[in-house]
Amino acid sequence: MSTIQSILQRSLFIACLLLGQFALAQINNFSPLTADQTIELSTPNINAAIQEDKSNDLIKTIPYRFGIKIPCNYTPQNGGFWNKSGDNYNWQMRIHAKDAKSLHFNFSYFALRSGESIFVFNDSKTIVYGPYSNLNNSFDSLFSSFLIPGENINILFQSKQKHQNSFIIESVTYGYRSIGEFVLKNFGASGACQNNINCPIGDNWQKEKRSVALILVNGNGWCTGSLLNNTLQDTIPYLLTANHCSSSSYSNWQFAFNWESPGCGTQLVPLSNVMAGATYIASSALSDFLLIKLNNKIPDSFHPYFNGWDFQNIASDTVVCIHHPSGDLKKISVANNLCQDSSYFNAFCWKIGQWSNGVTEGGSSGSPLFNKEHQVVGLLTGGPSYCCSAIQDQHDYFGKFAVAWNADTAFHKQLKYWLDPNGIANNNWNAFDPAPITTYSGDAVTLLSCNQIQGIAFSCADSNSVNIHFKNNGTSILNSLQFVYEINQQAANIVNWSGNLKPGQATDFILYSLKAYQPGTNDLKVWSRLPNNNQDVFPSDDTLSVKINYIFGASLKLQLKTDDFGSETRWEIKNSSGTLFYAGGPYTDLAGGQTINENICLIPGCYQLSVEDLGGDGMCCQNGNGSFKLYNSTNKSILSGSQFTCSIQGNFCVNANGNESIENVINQDIYPNPCDKQLILPKHVKQVQLFDPLQHEITLEVDNGILDTSTLKNGVYLIVFNKNRIGKLIIQHEY
């Protein structure tokens, strides 16, 4: 991570810690209510919502929905329990909603008196929001709390008097899609092609990222917005988002700043910089813009950054979008092609012809589009792009800042009146950084990320390699550095780096042949020391710790003897889900043919080898005596062929030894297989890992030798027993 971000995180940690300690000190004397004191919330029609989401998730002209509001009417008069502690009257209420991923309160009336406060928290008090006070009151008396993960939510109201009329809870949002750091739907919910803002691609956008906020819209949806500077530079918290995200009130909107993974990997982080409530300023459908003003000044501890802007109607050949796709951690997308004039749902837009890196998704709506001068020139209106979209659909539309500026003359339908009240801007205006993060001259190194090079942690050797991305945050050129790493808390190893890294620059360094991996989950810790043979006076950002799930691969060899026309020969190996692992050909035409040897390393599983001859006469015998053979690690042929027409396919399964069919292992150990809802495990099994066809690990609970498989989709899975027994499991539900 950059120094800016690392110091930001330290500041946020301190701020969050102080707030948490203050809040906990006020609620620690109050135990969560018991089950018989709990209100049971009805479960909404989740299946209907999921069916709607299948189409709505691809539409960026509506907020990304994650929850359903359950109507209610709770006040201190008709719900919860009162007690008195010292000089305070305390009212508590606890709600349970079966299978909810998250819960939060929506208030139709919120008018706290001076000295009154509200806390919202989970049962364990590890997540506490508050104290909410009269500072959170709004002109329309609406308010929403932020999300609490899981099926239970608690509220505590404290007052000097036993007031019954300070608030009304009109609904509870039932989160049926998991949110943020709470469960792994929105944490990592966006597509695999998205880039975390603190990946190397975001190195030059570390200031602008501090302007971007995740918006909780109307209590049940996500959009993205960004802060804008004005020519008075008085830090009025103007925030730009999309008009199609708008609602009848903004008092119950919530804004989360600085929610991002600290490195390039997806690392769990808390939502700590949250603000509540905003006021409508201006909007127009001509460019789909909405300008709102946060109800309170943004704390300096958030380190807000107010973006510059350009209202010229000039197409840029390089643009950047910073956003929260699907309500996920902050991402960055880049397009290195000329923007085009276009329209989208009658809004005047810049069309991004094709993204070069990353895309946008539902939840990205309203996110800023930056030109190469780092000025805002648009906001996301919509478009068909997503990670798995076809090439022709990898484009999006951004409402033009130039149109939003003053295309409409009404003050409440333009940006100019608010951002340039004295009319002094000439085409553009620079950003404003009122609370910059101090860069320490002695902070020589910041480790940004540590990534498995192969993506999937498997190898046919007892070692692997990782990539270290680090940055020079000092004031001198960095010429030497030591990296120290340890695996599973075993003996540390030292690797020396040398180079010429200028201040502010970042680079990569590969740690090769890391040994001591074991099958299963491994703990890798990497840290740096002795920059230029000196001490780093700010070493707290010099260490990274990651978990790598490691599986020993199967070592095989493919031998091809081409016929005279090697240019006609092609081959490929795919797994059972169709993912391509290896491919080869075409080869050179040569009388008598040639021999090709390919070393292959595969993760344990089932595969198909396909060999193709474009001439339609196979590899033998009209034009030579060609053939192919696939050998396992003991040099035993497991597939072979020569005489065919256009193509030939062969299926095979391998375990970590590369020489045993997976079915032979699995059938001896578990049943039933295929399996429906429950899998019976042998007594010796103490630990189980499951991997889907894309090699994603799945965690399931084992209860008295029974593995509940009812939540798995139909298909073929890799199952690992006790970290060393590997087999194939078929899930086939009986509907």
Side-chain angles (χ1 to χ4, degrees):
M1 77 192 77
S2 68
T3 298
I4 287 177
Q5 186 198 3
S6 63
I7 300 170
L8 172 62
Q9 284 189 309
R10 287 186 288 273
S11 302
L12 296 186
F13 174 77
I14 294 171
C16 185
L17 179 62
L18 292 176
L19 175 61
Q21 289 175 337
F22 176 69
L24 284 174
Q26 293 187 268
I27 69 171
N28 263 340
N29 294 328
F30 301 93
S31 300
L33 299 178
T34 60
D36 59 351
Q37 296 173 309
T38 298
I39 296 173
E40 292 291 332
L41 194 69
S42 60
T43 302
N45 189 343
I46 302 302
N47 291 332
I50 291 174
Q51 290 303 313
E52 293 174 0
D53 292 337
K54 288 181 179 179
S55 56
N56 289 345
D57 284 355
L58 301 178
I59 303 173
K60 297 171 191 168
T61 52
I62 56 177
Y64 179 91
R65 183 177 65 180
F66 66 86
I68 298 173
K69 291 183 177 180
I70 308 300
C72 60
N73 186 36
Y74 297 129
T75 73
Q77 287 182 310
N78 63 8
F81 298 86
W82 281 98
N83 63 65
K84 189 175 183 182
S85 175
D87 295 332
N88 280 332
Y89 285 92
N90 308 289
W91 177 84
Q92 284 182 266
M93 185 175 71
R94 181 176 185 263
I95 285 179
H96 173 263
K98 188 176 184 298
D99 296 329
K101 305 296 186 182
S102 65
L103 296 169
H104 70 273
F105 296 114
N106 303 298
F107 298 80
S108 60
Y109 180 73
F110 190 93
L112 300 187
R113 299 168 175 84
S114 177
E116 293 182 339
S117 60
I118 285 178
F119 296 89
V120 179
F121 52 97
N122 61 354
D123 285 349
S124 63
K125 301 177 187 175
T126 55
I127 298 177
V128 179
Y129 292 115
Y132 298 124
S133 68
N134 63 328
L135 295 177
N136 297 106
N137 295 346
S138 62
F139 74 94
D140 57 6
S141 300
L142 299 179
F143 187 70
S144 287
S145 66
F146 211 72
L147 285 63
I148 296 293
E151 301 178 340
N152 301 313
I153 185 171
N154 298 269
I155 182 171
L156 170 65
F157 169 57
Q158 295 183 315
S159 177
K160 296 295 183 182
Q161 303 293 327
K162 199 173 182 179
H163 290 136
Q164 309 278 355
N165 59 352
S166 294
F167 60 88
I168 300 173
I169 300 174
E170 60 93 14
S171 66
V172 177
T173 297
Y174 181 106
Y176 64 93
R177 297 205 275 189
S178 306
I179 303 302
E181 78 273 46
F182 306 143
V183 198
L184 297 181
K185 170 60 176 77
N186 282 65
F187 171 66
S190 60
C193 71
Q194 302 284 16
N195 308 289
N196 282 331
I197 185 63
N198 293 312
C199 288
I201 193 174
D203 282 351
N204 294 325
W205 297 90
Q206 294 299 298
K207 290 183 178 180
E208 290 75 16
K209 73 175 185 180
R210 293 188 274 129
S211 73
V212 177
L214 172 65
I215 308 174
L216 172 57
V217 176
N218 202 30
N220 68 344
W222 295 123
C223 282
T224 302
S226 62
L227 297 171
L228 293 179
N229 190 20
N230 68 77
T231 55
L232 300 179
Q233 301 205 157
D234 53 4
T235 67
I236 293 177
Y238 288 135
L239 188 134
L240 180 70
T241 187
N243 188 44
H244 68 257
C245 294
S246 63
S247 61
S248 58
S249 174
Y250 303 93
S251 300
N252 59 355
W253 282 28
Q254 301 268 339
F255 307 88
F257 289 89
N258 304 311
W259 193 48
E260 57 201 49
S261 181
C264 194
T266 304
Q267 181 176 331
L268 204 62
V269 291
L271 275 163
S272 55
N273 288 183
V274 179
M275 297 188 66
T279 303
Y280 172 86
I281 298 297
S283 66
S284 174
L286 288 177
S287 59
D288 190 39
F289 93 87
L290 169 65
L291 185 70
I292 56 180
K293 180 171 72 72
L294 304 190
N295 285 345
N296 295 289
K297 182 180 183 296
I298 303 174
D300 286 347
S301 62
F302 286 21
H303 296 282
Y305 185 83
F306 296 82
N307 287 319
W309 30 262
D310 189 324
F311 57 81
Q312 300 176 92
N313 191 34
I314 299 176
S316 180
D317 58 1
T318 298
V319 289
V320 166
C321 175
I322 301 176
H323 54 120
H324 286 279
S326 301
D328 199 358
L329 298 165
K330 193 173 295 177
K331 309 292 180 181
I332 181 170
S333 301
V334 178
N336 296 315
N337 49 74
L338 188 66
C339 296
Q340 307 165 32
D341 280 306
S342 189
S343 63
Y344 191 74
F345 284 88
N346 299 318
F348 293 93
C349 296
W350 291 119
K351 179 182 179 182
I352 308 304
Q354 183 178 336
W355 290 105
S356 306
N357 205 323
V359 290
T360 66
E361 300 177 20
S364 303
S365 289
S367 53
L369 184 72
F370 297 94
N371 60 18
K372 56 188 175 184
E373 283 76 32
H374 293 227
Q375 297 166 327
V376 176
V377 294
L379 59 111
L380 180 62
T381 293
S385 80
Y386 65 102
C387 279
C388 296
S389 59
I391 294 296
Q392 63 268 24
D393 291 331
Q394 297 258 331
H395 60 273
D396 279 316
Y397 300 87
F398 287 78
K400 287 187 174 184
F401 194 94
V403 174
W405 184 249
N406 63 352
D408 198 310
T409 57
F411 72 92
H412 64 286
K413 293 185 177 181
Q414 63 168 243
L415 294 176
K416 181 179 186 298
Y417 180 87
W418 306 98
L419 301 185
D420 188 20
N422 296 327
I424 62 174
N426 183 19
N427 298 327
N428 52 52
W429 195 258
N430 289 329
F432 182 45
D433 193 358
I437 303 171
T438 305
T439 299
Y440 290 81
S441 61
D443 185 19
V445 178
T446 295
L447 298 190
L448 299 172
S449 63
C450 174
N451 296 324
Q452 189 75 30
I453 287 180
Q454 291 174 280
I456 302 171
F458 75 95
S459 174
C460 290
D462 62 350
S463 64
N464 215 331
S465 301
V466 296
N467 183 73
I468 305 298
H469 187 64
F470 66 99
K471 187 175 183 179
N472 178 7
N473 289 314
T475 56
S476 302
I477 294 176
L478 186 64
N479 299 118
S480 64
L481 186 67
Q482 281 190 351
F483 285 105
V484 186
Y485 71 89
E486 62 181 27
I487 301 173
N488 299 327
Q489 299 181 347
Q490 297 185 22
N493 299 271
I494 298 176
V495 181
N496 292 309
W497 173 89
S498 61
N500 188 43
L501 193 63
K502 296 179 180 178
Q505 287 187 338
T507 190
D508 296 313
F509 179 63
I510 298 176
L511 296 176
Y512 290 101
S513 301
L514 273 65
K515 296 184 180 295
Y517 279 136
Q518 300 296 325
T521 301
N522 291 259
D523 294 310
L524 172 64
K525 181 180 179 181
V526 181
W527 65 96
S528 63
R529 67 177 187 178
L530 299 179
N532 291 345
N533 207 32
N534 294 311
Q535 295 297 321
D536 190 339
V537 299
F538 202 52
S540 60
D541 56 4
D542 293 353
T543 301
L544 286 173
S545 296
V546 296
K547 290 186 180 296
I548 296 178
N549 189 48
Y550 191 76
I551 298 176
F552 288 114
S555 180
L556 301 98
K557 182 178 72 173
L558 176 64
Q559 186 177 83
L560 294 102
K561 173 71 165 59
T562 67
D563 61 11
D564 297 345
F565 297 96
S567 60
E568 298 175 350
T569 301
R570 291 172 173 81
W571 61 273
E572 63 183 21
I573 294 177
K574 295 182 177 180
N575 68 1
S576 56
S577 66
T579 302
L580 180 66
F581 275 70
Y582 285 89
Y587 301 103
T588 305
D589 291 340
L590 185 66
Q594 57 182 314
T595 299
I596 309 294
N597 290 302
E598 297 279 0
N599 293 318
I600 293 172
C601 179
L602 294 173
I603 191 169
C606 292
Y607 300 86
Q608 182 180 83
L609 169 65
S610 178
V611 181
E612 181 182 22
D613 183 80
L614 298 183
D617 58 357
M619 302 178 71
C620 183
C621 300
Q622 297 183 22
N623 298 292
N625 296 314
S627 64
F628 71 88
K629 287 186 178 182
L630 182 65
Y631 297 93
N632 65 14
S633 59
T634 63
N635 210 32
K636 175 185 176 182
S637 175
I638 57 176
L639 284 179
S640 63
S642 60
Q643 296 185 30
F644 55 94
T645 54
C646 295
S647 65
I648 184 173
Q649 290 79 34
N651 297 317
F652 64 99
C653 298
V654 291
N655 66 3
N657 297 322
N659 59 6
E660 184 175 3
S661 171
I662 281 181
E663 289 89 344
N664 293 337
V665 175
I666 207 68
N667 289 336
Q668 297 170 7
D669 287 335
I670 63 175
Y671 69 92
N673 192 16
C675 176
D676 181 15
K677 296 181 180 179
Q678 289 186 335
L679 184 68
I680 310 299
L681 303 171
K683 294 181 180 180
H684 70 274
V685 174
K686 298 179 180 179
Q687 195 172 33
V688 172
Q689 292 172 286
L690 279 177
F691 299 87
D692 67 14
L694 297 179
Q695 314 305 341
H696 298 145
E697 184 174 3
I698 300 170
T699 301
L700 293 178
E701 295 294 329
V702 179
D703 185 12
N704 294 324
I706 304 295
L707 186 67
D708 182 2
T709 58
S710 61
T711 60
L712 296 177
K713 296 180 180 179
N714 287 343
V716 180
Y717 295 79
L718 180 72
I719 185 167
V720 181
F721 296 161
N722 299 339
K723 296 187 178 182
N724 58 13
R725 295 283 288 169
I726 301 175
K728 182 176 72 174
L729 172 64
I730 300 173
I731 299 298
Q732 185 174 320
H733 294 301
E734 299 176 1
Y735 296 106

